[in-house]
């Protein structure tokens, strides 16, 4: 259902979370009043806290565990127009066996591909797929006219439904940033609600929904905070920073701001929402900073695939090199990792 923003008394598509938090006032005006009533972000304070967290060091004995944790939280990603089934099979092989020389290396959380590549990913995963035992590697698919989101709602829903029907475990959708920046919060809300419903499988279960805010286009921390609340109210299971196609992508202050929303939501409702920074995180050093920020903001209980992910393609290589250095005391040559 599309919102008429001039009809301030019209009810927006219901979501159980919104009904509870908004006290049943599911109207465009009620949603706007709630979001615009959220306290503004102290940008200087946020950036100073992120900078302070980035200086935290971890003991050498903890570094090996941190590196293994990072690997287990990665959505190993290929989202290029030139993707082929062969490239996806290579990606899956790396996801299943990140380091062929060390069988103790953990597997990644998921592989993330375009919807038409889901069957190739599932075939390549075989018994390693999360659907086989519930604890394997998931298949995530981007949808809703990724990365721009510039398509009609029926097209976005068909894009989502096709990926779910193909077997995707998770859907990474993009919000309509134009609608959000124009203040049409109800329209964005309705689209997330509709996409969530399109994630429903025939057995009544749902593919997990990650809502991409594309924070690099939202311009302010206040907008990031409002968009985070909006995505959660509408039923998102995760809030995700970026498509990786816009600069800046993930940054530590933006991710901290989103984590603070997740923390506040948990305090308000008891429900845990996931966070996924994506794009631009390429080094182990940077990834460890994110682990520290998560632990200090929402707690170490969030450092598991159900609640935190890194969207990355090249990060894994650096983590593998650093892991080898930690275990053996020396760096391996560049041929130790595959070229993505």
């Amino acid at each position: 259902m599309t919102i008429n923003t001039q009809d301030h008394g019209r009810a927006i598509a219901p979501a159980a979370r919104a009904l509870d938090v908004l006290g049943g006032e599911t109207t465009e005006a009620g949603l706007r009043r709630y979001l615009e009533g959220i306290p503004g972000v102290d940008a200087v304070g946020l950036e100073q806290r992120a900078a302070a967290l980035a200086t935290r060091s971890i003991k050498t004995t903890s570094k090996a565990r941190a590196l293994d944790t990072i690997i287990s939280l990665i959505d190993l990603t290929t989202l290029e127009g030139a993707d082929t089934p062969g490239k996806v099979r290579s990606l899956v092989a790396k996801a299943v066996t990140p380091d062929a020389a060390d069988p103790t290396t953990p597997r990644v959380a998921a592989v993330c591909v375009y919807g038409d590549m889901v069957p190739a990913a599932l075939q390549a995963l075989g018994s390693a797929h999360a659907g086989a035992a519930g604890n394997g590697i998931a298949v995530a698919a981007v949808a809703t006219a990724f990365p721009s989101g510039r398509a009609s709602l029926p097209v976005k829903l068909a894009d989502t439904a096709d990926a779910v029907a193909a077997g995707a475990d998770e859907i990474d959708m993009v919000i309509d940033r134009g609608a959000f920046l124009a203040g049409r919060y109800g329209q964005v809300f309705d689209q997330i609600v509709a996409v969530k419903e399109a994630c429903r499988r025939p057995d009544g279960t749902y593919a997990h929904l990650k809502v991409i805010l594309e924070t690099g286009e939202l311009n302010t921390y206040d907008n990031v905070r409002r968009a985070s609340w909006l995505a959660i109210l509408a039923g998102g299971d995760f809030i995700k920073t970026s498509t990786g196609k816009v600069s800046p992508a993930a940054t530590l202050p933006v991710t901290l701001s989103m984590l603070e929303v997740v923390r506040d939501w948990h305090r308000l409702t008891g429900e845990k929402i996931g966070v996924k920074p994506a794009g631009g995180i390429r080094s182990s050093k940077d990834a460890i900073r994110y682990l520290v920020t998560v632990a200090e903001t929402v707690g170490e209980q969030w450092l598991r695939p159900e609640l935190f992910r890194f969207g990355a393609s090249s990060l894994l290589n650096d983590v593998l090199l650093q892991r080898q250095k930690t275990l053996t005391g020396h760096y391996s040559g560049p041929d130790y990792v595959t070229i993505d």
Side-chain angles (χ1 to χ4, degrees), residues 89-256:
R89 286 193 293 269
S90 295
L91 185 83
V92 168
K94 187 169 184 176
V96 174
T97 310
D99 187 346
D102 185 354
T104 68
T105 307
R107 294 173 170 178
V108 303
V111 292
C112 185
V113 297
Y114 277 110
D116 64 322
M117 292 288 106
V118 168
L122 288 170
Q123 184 180 37
L125 278 170
S127 63
H129 177 226
N135 59 355
I137 298 172
V139 175
V142 295
T144 63
F146 177 97
S148 70
R150 302 249 60 89
S152 67
L153 181 57
V155 169
K156 293 179 180 181
L157 298 182
D159 194 17
T160 302
D162 283 351
V164 174
D169 305 292
E170 303 169 359
I171 295 295
D172 289 30
M173 70 163 287
V174 288
I175 67 167
D176 184 334
R177 284 86 76 189
F180 179 87
L181 291 170
R184 300 196 301 272
Y185 301 139
Q187 179 179 332
V188 179
F189 180 97
D190 269 1
Q191 290 195 2
I192 298 171
V193 170
V195 172
K196 177 74 173 183
E197 185 58 30
C199 289
R200 184 195 290 266
R201 305 184 184 99
D203 65 1
T205 62
Y206 288 81
H208 279 215
L209 180 62
K210 306 192 199 87
V211 182
I212 306 171
L213 309 181
E214 198 65 289
T215 54
E217 293 184 339
L218 296 186
N219 302 322
T220 69
Y221 295 127
D222 285 345
N223 279 340
V224 171
R225 178 174 285 182
R226 288 191 188 113
S228 297
W229 276 97
L230 180 61
I232 294 171
L233 284 167
D237 300 300
F238 263 74
I239 49 176
K240 177 178 172 181
T241 62
S242 325
T243 62
K245 306 296 186 181
V246 170
S247 182
T251 68
L252 202 59
V254 159
T255 304
L256 172 59

Side-chain angles (χ1 to χ4, degrees), residues 259 263 291-304:
L259 286 165
R263 177 199 63 200
L291 295 188
V292 171
T293 301
V294 171
E296 292 289 334
T297 307
V298 289
E300 291 188 17
Q301 59 186 316
W302 253 261
L303 293 176
R304 51 194 176 96

